[in-house]
């Protein structure tokens, strides 16, 4: 049975959170002389440390309570704070599946936590038979599941994730950075069933606010309280909060832009099937496509020479390149280059 107190680091349980001036006074006043701010300027006041307006709007959109929402400095802060809250450095462990998002490894290393990486099967799915023996390790505190997965683009099976949530006595973090592009439902609606579940989402992908660096965690209120206890007092600037609120107030435009991206992805998937250099186009639930090519290193370099930047994932998946869905103009330029490179490759082979 899941017991949150057994998972949280003892020093975090005893930690008294920093109380900022804006935490101690909530409301509107005429004179602010509590936070040692400069009285002059437009951006002279500290931002809302609890991002209340964003949480209120998200609670309406996501059907989650405000006390189930944490706003982070990118989803990377959500990941990093999980290590700080639940894992004792040099002792505890975390687990993820490979290939996947590289920040799990980096954050684990920064926090001196051993990260177990289990290989996905040939269909890029989780092998529960291999996983099961790790779930009883009392030092295993976190499992990261990126779904839709980066760089493979696929979602994991619901029954697999539910199996992990029900069997594991630690914290399961489902990274849903790309969920807005998927037809699969978010696991947010499962929070009531799994007290050990954290959902991580971001405004960097479908919402088009990558430079703003705002991520979100959804979890039960006890876990969110721990996040708020550990986070820096003013982790999201006023400008970034305003940018997020502007996006949340324009859901119609969000849907229009998302559908354009999805339509472009569908076109690009079909076009890539006819490119001779492309050996396989993997199915994707995200805003990118993973393709297997004849020589990923060479193709990446050739595209760079034409000022087209893709992501070479050859080190993770043999001879694979990850292509983000761009604008119609950008996608056309990519396809023109790929077709030209295929013709050139054929001429070279025929001359040998």
């Amino acid at each position: 049975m899941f017991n949150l107190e057994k998972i949280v680091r003892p020093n975090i349980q005893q930690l008294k959170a920093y109380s900022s001036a804006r935490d101690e006074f909530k409301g509107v006043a005429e004179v602010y002389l509590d936070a040692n701010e400069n009285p002059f300027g437009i951006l002279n006041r500290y931002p809302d440390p609890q991002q209340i307006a964003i949480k209120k709007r998200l609670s309406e959109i996501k059907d989650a309570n405000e006390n189930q929402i944490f706003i982070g400095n990118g989803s990377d802060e959500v990941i990093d704070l999980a290590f700080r809250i639940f894992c004792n450095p040099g002792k505890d462990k975390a687990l993820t599946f490979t290939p996947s998002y590289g920040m799990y490894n980096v954050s684990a290393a920064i926090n001196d936590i051993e990260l177990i990486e289990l290989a996905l099967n040939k269909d890029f799915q989780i092998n529960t038979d291999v996983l099961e023996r790790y779930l009883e390790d009392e030092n295993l505190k976190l499992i990261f599941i990126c779904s839709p997965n980066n760089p493979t683009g696929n979602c994991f099976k619901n029954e697999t994730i539910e199996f992990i949530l029900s069997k594991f006595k630690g914290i399961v973090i489902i990274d849903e950075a790309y969920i807005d592009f998927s037809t699969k439902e978010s696991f947010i609606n499962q929070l009531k069933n799994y007290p050990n579940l954290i959902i991580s989402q971001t405004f960097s992908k479908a919402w088009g606010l990558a430079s703003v660096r705002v991520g979100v965690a959804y979890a039960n209120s006890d876990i969110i309280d721990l996040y708020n206890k550990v986070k820096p007092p003013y982790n999201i600037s006023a400008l970034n909060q305003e940018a997020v609120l502007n996006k949340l107030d324009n859901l119609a435009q969000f849907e229009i832009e998302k559908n354009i991206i999805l339509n472009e992805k569908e076109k690009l998937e079909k076009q890539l099937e006819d490119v001779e250099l492309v050996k396989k186009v993997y199915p994707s639930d995200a805003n990118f496509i993973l393709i297997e090519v004849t020589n990923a290193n060479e193709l990446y370099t050739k595209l760079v020479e034409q000022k087209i930047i893709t992501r070479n994932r050859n080190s993770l998946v043999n001879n694979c390149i990850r292509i983000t869905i761009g604008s119609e103009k950008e996608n056309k330029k990519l396809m023109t280059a790929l077709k030209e490179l295929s013709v050139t490759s054929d001429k070279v082979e025929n001359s040998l």
Side-chain angles (χ1 to χ4, degrees):
M1 184 174 178
F2 175 72
N3 186 326
L4 184 60
E5 286 188 8
K6 288 186 177 180
I7 302 297
V8 181
R9 286 169 52 181
N11 65 305
I12 300 299
Q13 287 179 339
Q14 297 163 15
L15 176 69
K16 184 177 180 180
Y18 175 77
S19 180
S20 72
R22 292 297 172 263
D23 283 317
E24 292 173 7
F25 173 80
K26 294 179 174 65
V28 179
E30 293 182 4
V31 178
Y32 290 93
L33 303 176
D34 57 344
N36 300 336
E37 300 155 320
N38 187 321
F40 305 110
I42 299 172
L43 299 172
N44 59 319
R45 299 298 179 190
Y46 285 110
D48 174 8
Q50 298 302 326
Q51 307 92 31
I52 291 170
I54 294 176
K55 290 176 182 177
K56 185 177 187 302
R57 192 74 184 91
L58 282 176
S59 72
E60 297 164 355
I61 295 169
K62 300 290 186 175
D63 194 25
N65 295 328
E66 291 176 45
N67 64 2
Q68 294 179 302
I69 303 172
F70 169 79
I71 309 297
N73 190 336
S75 56
D76 291 339
E77 185 175 33
V78 173
I79 294 166
D80 181 64
L81 291 186
F83 283 108
R84 296 197 201 186
I85 294 167
F86 299 109
C87 295
N88 290 287
K91 176 186 174 184
D92 290 329
K93 305 171 188 176
L95 183 147
T96 191
F97 307 93
T98 186
S100 194
Y101 182 40
M103 276 305 296
Y104 309 141
N105 199 311
V106 173
S107 285
I110 290 170
N111 288 283
D112 192 20
I113 305 300
E114 178 186 346
L115 182 68
I116 301 163
E117 296 179 286
L118 299 184
L120 298 172
N121 65 23
K122 62 182 178 60
D123 298 316
F124 297 142
Q125 290 293 328
I126 295 168
N127 188 332
T128 54
D129 291 337
V130 174
L131 169 66
E132 195 162 11
R133 69 184 180 90
Y134 291 92
L135 299 183
E136 298 303 318
D137 186 341
E138 63 180 15
N139 290 326
L140 180 62
K141 298 293 183 65
L142 300 175
I143 294 179
F144 289 94
I145 303 172
C146 186
S147 185
N149 190 35
N150 175 16
T152 60
N154 63 296
C155 284
F156 296 121
K157 296 174 182 176
N158 281 6
E159 54 266 35
T160 300
I161 296 176
E162 288 167 359
F163 169 84
I164 296 169
L165 283 164
S166 60
K167 290 281 187 179
F168 184 48
K169 296 181 178 66
I171 299 293
V172 178
I173 301 180
I174 304 178
D175 187 340
E176 293 185 342
Y178 300 95
I179 195 66
D180 293 303
F181 298 107
S182 175
T183 56
K184 292 276 183 89
E185 284 189 11
S186 167
F187 260 77
I188 289 174
N189 59 12
Q190 295 294 322
L191 286 175
K192 60 184 179 294
N193 298 324
Y194 300 106
N196 59 334
L197 172 61
I198 299 174
I199 304 292
S200 173
Q201 294 188 359
T202 182
F203 283 92
S204 294
K205 308 302 180 183
W207 294 93
L209 292 176
S211 69
V212 167
R213 308 306 304 127
V214 175
V216 187
Y218 300 90
N220 74 62
S221 59
D222 291 335
I223 291 176
I224 296 301
D225 286 345
L226 291 166
Y227 265 89
N228 287 327
K229 188 192 250 191
V230 174
K231 81 173 184 70
Y234 302 109
N235 59 329
I236 310 295
S237 77
L239 291 174
N240 291 358
Q241 290 188 47
E242 184 180 355
V244 168
L245 286 168
N246 286 338
K247 276 287 184 177
L248 291 173
D249 286 338
N250 197 350
L251 296 181
Q253 185 61 30
F254 164 76
E255 291 294 337
I256 289 169
E257 292 171 359
K258 183 181 74 173
N259 287 330
I260 289 171
I261 292 169
L262 291 173
N263 289 335
E264 283 296 313
K265 182 176 79 168
E266 187 177 353
K267 283 164 41 179
L268 200 58
E269 285 171 330
K270 291 176 181 176
Q271 291 167 353
L272 287 167
E273 299 272 3
D274 296 327
V275 176
E276 194 160 337
L277 285 173
V278 177
K279 300 303 178 186
K280 183 170 185 177
V281 179
Y282 286 96
S284 172
D285 289 299
N287 68 326
F288 60 81
I289 302 170
L290 187 73
I291 59 171
E292 181 186 348
V293 297
T294 51
N295 188 321
N297 293 342
E298 182 181 12
L299 179 58
Y300 173 79
T301 302
K302 294 288 186 184
L303 289 172
V304 168
E305 290 171 358
Q306 298 194 39
K307 298 184 178 180
I308 299 171
I309 312 302
T310 56
R311 194 80 189 270
N312 187 354
R313 300 284 75 185
N314 185 40
S315 61
L316 296 175
V317 190
N318 188 45
N319 273 329
C320 281
I321 281 179
R322 193 191 72 191
I323 300 171
T324 305
I325 308 303
S327 65
E328 182 179 17
K329 181 179 179 181
E330 291 169 330
N331 297 335
K332 282 182 178 178
K333 186 171 183 180
L334 168 72
M335 288 308 306
T336 298
L338 288 174
K339 288 173 182 176
E340 289 174 353
L341 289 170
S342 289
V343 171
T344 303
S345 177
D346 281 345
K347 286 181 179 178
V348 170
E349 287 184 9
N350 292 333
S351 66
L352 294 178

